[in-house]
Amino acid sequence: MGIYAVTGSASGMGAASAAVIREAGHTVIGVDLRDADVLADLGTAEGRAAAVAEITAASCGTLDGVAAVAGVGPAMKDAGAVASINYFGPTALLEGLRPVLARARAPRAVVIGSNSSSTVPMIDPTLVDLLLAGDEETAREHARIAQQGVPAELAATSPSISAYATSKFALARWVRRTAVRPEWAREGVLLNVIAPGAVVTPLMLGSTGTADDLDADKFPTPMPLGVFGAPEDIAFWVHQFLRPEARFTTGATLYVDGGTDAAMRPDGQPTALTL
Ligand code: NAI
């Protein structure tokens, strides 16, 4: 049986993912700010380095997979922190763990993005470039500036919506760029993204109220299936991507969002290649 690291294991989708992986008979190294095997703040460079070192030690140098689930939502006030936690958290952790992943027989990594990356019309291209360039300090500063352009009504409930959507956009793009590099693809380390839509977790309820208040037909974005997601709906796909049998998909983004992205951008995919 394998050894898997799951970030954000104390709550929501991370807790559900850890449970599914454990039920399949594997060992899970949970990583979170609290209630986890590895306590680390993935919003800081020191926390990420400590997490990489502790996961490496706990896995005895061979890690079968990583589910990078930890993250925050657009209700967080500090847009700079959102960029650090949601972009640099998973990317630095995965870069740091790639060598121990490469030692496994069928290594897999999956990252939780968001359908906000394609359904929120507030992606800041400068911030995307700064994130992908790895310039954390400048990205943090710019994330705060980018947020100033958000309409006041929206900023009141989602004070970091632009930084949130942009960090998830850059994360998905990082996965596409990274997954096909030889040190990942030719080492057999497969890397994919899941883009959830509205999933009922403490994070979502923090911005929308109690579960009883939720009505999919009154949600601001279309919900074709008429229901919200549960953490288990995401955990199912996290587990599928981590299985050794999932061996011919890398660099992909899977929308697990009840059809929201397809409803908002029916012709958004596929994108034609132009000469
Ligand atoms: P949650 O709040 O239930 O769980 C997130 C976990 O991440 C928590 O246990 C939290 O302590 C941990 N975490 C946050 N900041 C951290 C840090 N700096 N270092 C280490 N751990 C940290 O939230 P949920 O909904 O399960 O979120 C999981 C992921 O899904 C996040 O990346 C979120 O952005 C993403 N997401 C959530 C959606 C939703 O509707 N709930 C929609 C789309 C994406």
Side-chain angles (χ1 to χ4, degrees):
M1 286 300 170
I3 303 181
Y4 294 86
V6 178
T7 73
S9 58
S11 179
M13 300 176 204
S17 299
V20 170
I21 297 164
R22 280 199 191 99
E23 276 158 26
H26 304 295
T27 299
V28 170
I29 305 168
V31 184
D32 209 305
L33 294 167
R34 59 187 166 83
D35 303 328
D37 305 296
V38 173
L39 298 179
D41 181 354
L42 300 172
T44 68
E46 302 73 37
R48 291 167 211 140
V52 168
E54 287 193 48
I55 295 167
T56 301
S59 66
C60 300
T62 303
L63 188 63
D64 294 282
V66 178
V69 185
V72 290
M76 186 171 232
K77 287 199 174 69
D78 182 356
V82 172
S84 285
I85 297 166
N86 284 1
Y87 180 82
F88 291 103
T91 58
L93 188 83
L94 286 167
E95 293 281 14
L97 291 173
R98 192 198 58 78
V100 277
L101 283 165
R103 288 199 203 110
R105 187 178 56 86
R108 307 283 183 258
V110 62
V111 180
I112 300 296
S114 171
N115 75 349
S116 298
S117 58
S118 55
T119 60
V120 170
M122 285 165 212
I123 305 300
D124 185 292
T126 305
L127 182 54
V128 173
D129 290 345
L130 291 169
L131 293 168
L132 287 166
D135 186 348
E136 186 167 2
E137 273 322 299
T138 316
R140 284 175 67 100
E141 282 165 30
H142 188 81
R144 295 179 185 124
I145 295 163
Q147 196 55 35
Q148 290 167 8
V150 173
E153 197 178 307
L154 181 56
T157 54
S158 300
S160 57
I161 184 67
S162 175
Y164 175 78
T166 304
S167 65
K168 295 292 191 179
F169 180 98
L171 182 60
R173 188 157 284 179
W174 177 85
V175 165
R176 278 181 75 78
R177 290 181 177 187
T178 303
V180 295
R181 280 166 35 199
E183 62 268 34
W184 288 79
R186 291 305 168 107
E187 294 290 327
V189 190
L190 277 53
L191 170 63
N192 293 288
V193 193
I194 293 170
V199 178
V200 183
T201 66
L203 182 154
M204 182 187 164
L205 293 175
S207 34
T208 56
T210 68
D212 295 338
D213 298 336
L214 291 175
D215 180 343
D217 291 327
K218 293 186 183 140
F219 204 64
T221 51
M223 303 289 290
L225 292 183
V227 290
F228 292 99
E232 293 72 23
D233 294 315
I234 307 303
F236 172 83
W237 289 109
V238 167
H239 181 220
Q240 298 310 309
F241 274 124
L242 292 178
R243 292 176 59 186
E245 294 86 347
R247 60 186 197 185
F248 199 50
T249 301
T250 201
T253 298
L254 177 70
Y255 284 86
V256 184
D257 72 346
T260 298
D261 181 69
M264 292 182 74
R265 302 185 314 123
D267 303 328
Q269 288 184 25
T271 308
L273 189 65
T274 48
L275 289 174

